[in-house]
Amino acid sequence: MKKMSKSNIVLIGFMGSGKSTIGKEIAKRLQYSFIDSDEVVENKIRMSISDYFKRYGEENFRLLEEEIISHIALTTKTVIATGGGVVKNPNNISNLKHNGTIFYLKGSPEYIYERLKYDTSRPLLNTKDKLATIRSLLRERSPLYENASDIIISIDNKSIDEIVVSILDYERGKVI
Ligand code: S3P
């Protein structure tokens, strides 16, 4: 039987790196479906992720996230935007890689901070010193993002359109 080529586009990266906005735009241009894993989680739990963290903690969120990713990973011709912590669980990555090319939207801590400084929807960043938290989480997660990804796209000071075009160029010609 002929092996199907990987058809999903999976976006990973830190909170605030634009995975959902960019993912929706790519899906529109390729006429693919779009799925945001956080949105699927929120629909299932019928509350915000922030409330869920407060009530049930991060560990339970990660279990839900794993279950949801395992289903989403079975789709085809879909752009998948993931939560920033998806790389913490290697099962998520092996599931997503099965049918997807993984793009890491890589931003510097300072750039991400600028984008998230007034945001209150990310429970892990509701700390006294948001920039320091971003720096420390990114230091911990950078190797995970880099190892999980097939392609790394730098996002600092780039427009949505520039990032979308880089990803589409890769998809069309498999080069950047
Ligand atoms: C998280 C990122 C969030 C969400 C949850 C945990 C993380 O998603 O899944 O708050 O651990 O980085 P976004 O990356 O879409 O903000």
Side-chain angles (χ1 to χ4, degrees):
M1 200 170 61
K2 190 169 173 278
K3 193 175 177 296
M4 292 245 302
S5 61
K6 292 183 177 189
S7 75
N8 291 338
I9 293 177
V10 179
L11 303 181
I12 64 169
F14 203 76
M15 294 167 261
S17 58
K19 293 163 293 198
S20 301
T21 313
I22 290 160
K24 274 183 201 150
E25 192 54 36
I26 296 170
K28 196 163 97 191
R29 297 199 200 177
L30 289 177
Q31 295 186 299
Y32 273 26
S33 309
F34 172 74
I35 298 180
D36 179 329
S37 70
D38 281 343
E39 216 176 280
V40 179
V41 172
E42 285 185 330
N43 287 339
K44 183 171 168 131
I45 60 186
R46 293 166 184 270
M47 66 177 91
S48 68
I49 288 175
S50 187
D51 284 343
Y52 190 86
F53 261 65
K54 273 186 218 136
R55 286 201 212 175
Y56 305 108
E58 179 176 352
E59 251 179 65
N60 284 310
F61 170 76
R62 297 297 170 204
L63 292 174
L64 265 174
E65 185 178 48
E66 178 176 8
E67 187 199 328
I68 287 193
I69 292 283
S70 73
H71 291 296
I72 294 175
L74 301 174
T75 55
T76 54
K77 293 198 169 207
T78 301
V79 181
I80 301 169
T82 59
V86 76
V87 289
K88 292 179 72 172
N89 179 344
N91 291 339
N92 292 337
I93 300 307
S94 60
N95 285 336
L96 289 164
K97 264 191 188 296
H98 198 64
N99 199 29
T101 306
I102 303 195
F103 292 85
Y104 168 29
L105 305 184
K106 180 177 182 173
S108 66
E110 295 72 22
Y111 187 68
I112 285 168
Y113 174 72
E114 278 308 310
R115 293 170 55 95
L116 292 182
K117 60 183 170 188
Y118 303 119
D119 177 88
T120 54
S121 69
R122 269 75 171 203
L124 294 176
L125 299 183
N126 287 335
T127 59
K128 277 204 191 107
D129 187 343
K130 197 181 263 190
L131 178 58
T133 307
I134 293 173
R135 283 205 175 107
S136 125
L137 272 176
L138 251 183
R139 200 175 309 121
E140 202 178 286
R141 290 182 181 179
S142 286
L144 300 176
Y145 291 130
E146 293 188 7
N147 286 335
S149 60
D150 297 300
I151 314 290
I152 299 175
I153 310 270
S154 298
I155 59 163
D156 282 16
N157 305 313
K158 285 195 188 149
S159 66
I160 301 287
D161 192 62
E162 282 172 302
I163 299 168
V164 167
V165 167
S166 301
I167 294 174
L168 290 177
D169 281 352
Y170 176 82
E171 273 302 298
R172 291 191 180 116
K174 299 283 171 192
V175 281
I176 287 187

